[in-house]
């Protein structure tokens, strides 16, 4: 649906209010009550025009932190919230190695460097995320089914109706306390599949300072890329 020159993806669900989201790629989506017809939806969105443009302007400002990385000597890569330099070496091991605060990549592996970095992040996130889930699932009284690390396009994480919880491999670039927030956020969705106040109350019970983690993602999220 086009509103004031902006294409907005509409998602209908059994909810009572309209929520507008600026996705990580800058696209706009709105989640609306299923009972609303197109004219009603358009009227509501037009009334929220100022909010939409304000949020888009904020997204543009925050994404000035976006970087385009090259797989060369001295390039920095994020891991657990900190930047570490890449060193190209003659020996090719077919993997990205991380040793003493430095990434190592073989000369012959440079053509597939992005693929190898993704593999590195997936493996590291898998090793980090499961203990965090074990820590919080009993506190929240939930039982997640499958836990997967994968490509999620514009989302950091997702929770399916069947109870599966997925995390983007890029989450391995975030600090540990932000990972804790991501886990609690998704586990809380096993109780409330929405972003109502009841949902945020569940998050707040476990992480009273979750606003700090959200703010970190807002400021640094655009830099979590390859």
């Amino acid at each position: 649906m086009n509103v004031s020159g902006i294409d907005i993806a509409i998602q209908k669900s059994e909810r009572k209010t309209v929520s507008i989201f600026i996705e990580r790629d800058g696209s706009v989506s709105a989640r609306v009550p299923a009972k609303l017809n197109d004219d009603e939806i358009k009227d509501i969105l037009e009334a929220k025009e100022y909010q939409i443009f304000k949020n888009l302007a904020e997204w543009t400002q925050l994404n000035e932190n976006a970087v385009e990385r090259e797989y060369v000597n001295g390039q920095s890569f994020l891991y657990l919230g900190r930047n570490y330099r890449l060193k190209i070496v003659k020996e090719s091991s077919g993997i990205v190695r991380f040793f003493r605060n430095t990434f190592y990549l073989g000369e012959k592996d440079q053509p597939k460097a992005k693929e190898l970095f993704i593999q590195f992040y997936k493996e590291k996130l898998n090793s980090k995320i499961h203990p965090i889930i074990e820590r919080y699932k009993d506190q929240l009284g939930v039982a997640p089914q499958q836990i997967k690390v994968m490509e999620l396009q514009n989302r950091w994480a997702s929770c399916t109706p069947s109870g599966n919880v997925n995390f983007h491999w890029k989450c391995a670039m975030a600090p540990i306390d932000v990972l804790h927030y991501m886990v609690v956020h998704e586990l809380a969705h096993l109780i409330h599949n929405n972003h109502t106040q009841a949902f945020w109350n569940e998050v707040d019970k476990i992480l009273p300072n979750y606003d700090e983690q959200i703010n970190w993602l807002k400021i640094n999220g655009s830099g979590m890329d390859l």
Side-chain angles (χ1 to χ4, degrees):
M1 178 177 291
N2 190 284
V3 177
S4 302
I6 300 172
D7 288 323
I8 301 177
I10 305 299
Q11 302 173 24
K12 291 190 173 185
S13 64
E14 297 303 318
R15 58 185 295 129
K16 296 180 180 179
T17 59
V18 173
S19 294
I20 298 168
F21 301 89
I22 310 299
E23 306 293 352
R24 281 176 47 210
D25 63 353
S27 62
V28 183
S29 64
R31 293 167 199 167
V32 305
K35 65 181 181 180
L36 296 181
N37 61 41
D38 287 351
D39 288 339
E40 291 171 325
I41 294 170
K42 191 163 187 175
D43 286 344
I44 293 172
L45 293 178
E46 285 179 345
K48 293 178 178 287
E49 180 183 286
Y50 172 79
Q51 177 190 338
I52 295 171
F53 279 105
K54 178 176 178 290
N55 290 347
L56 278 172
E58 182 182 73
W59 180 90
T60 300
Q61 183 179 9
L62 291 173
N63 275 268
E64 291 176 355
N65 292 327
V67 295
E68 188 171 338
R69 292 182 170 87
E70 297 179 354
Y71 303 95
V72 296
N73 265 321
Q75 177 67 70
S76 64
F77 290 85
L78 266 174
Y79 177 47
L80 297 180
R82 293 183 60 189
N83 277 294
Y84 299 97
R85 299 291 181 184
L86 172 64
K87 184 174 183 178
I88 304 298
V89 295
K90 291 197 175 291
E91 303 83 14
S92 295
S93 58
I95 61 171
V96 169
R97 293 188 300 115
F98 183 71
F99 181 67
R100 291 185 177 177
N101 295 335
T102 302
F103 286 106
Y104 293 90
L105 181 70
E107 287 181 353
K108 293 182 180 179
D109 294 326
Q110 279 182 280
K112 54 180 180 179
K114 182 173 182 177
E115 173 188 336
L116 295 179
F117 262 96
I118 291 174
Q119 178 182 322
F120 169 86
Y121 286 125
K122 283 183 176 179
E123 291 175 356
K124 293 300 182 182
L125 186 59
N126 261 311
S127 69
K128 301 290 183 185
I129 212 80
H130 287 275
I132 300 174
I133 290 171
E134 289 299 314
R135 173 175 174 174
Y136 293 118
K137 68 177 187 179
D138 290 340
Q139 291 185 47
L140 285 161
V142 297
Q145 300 302 305
Q146 295 184 31
I147 309 297
K148 292 182 179 179
V149 173
M150 58 196 296
E151 173 68 50
L152 283 175
Q153 297 184 336
N154 297 319
R155 292 186 175 188
W156 296 121
S158 66
C159 178
T160 70
S162 59
N164 296 336
V165 182
N166 306 312
F167 295 91
H168 200 305
W169 53 265
K170 292 179 183 178
C171 293
M173 299 182 185
I176 285 291
D177 54 352
V178 175
L179 281 182
H180 280 247
Y181 162 70
M182 290 173 170
V183 168
V184 171
H185 185 115
E186 296 309 318
L187 294 183
H189 274 316
L190 296 176
I191 304 171
H192 302 285
N193 190 24
N194 49 48
H195 287 102
T196 60
Q197 190 57 51
F199 165 82
W200 290 112
N201 287 343
E202 292 292 341
V203 176
D204 185 69
K205 288 177 188 176
I206 307 298
L207 299 175
N209 64 336
Y210 70 85
D211 281 347
E212 295 176 14
Q213 320 316 330
I214 292 176
N215 192 52
W216 190 95
L217 284 169
K218 282 184 177 180
I219 295 171
N220 300 283
S222 61
M224 292 168 61
D225 207 350
L226 291 176

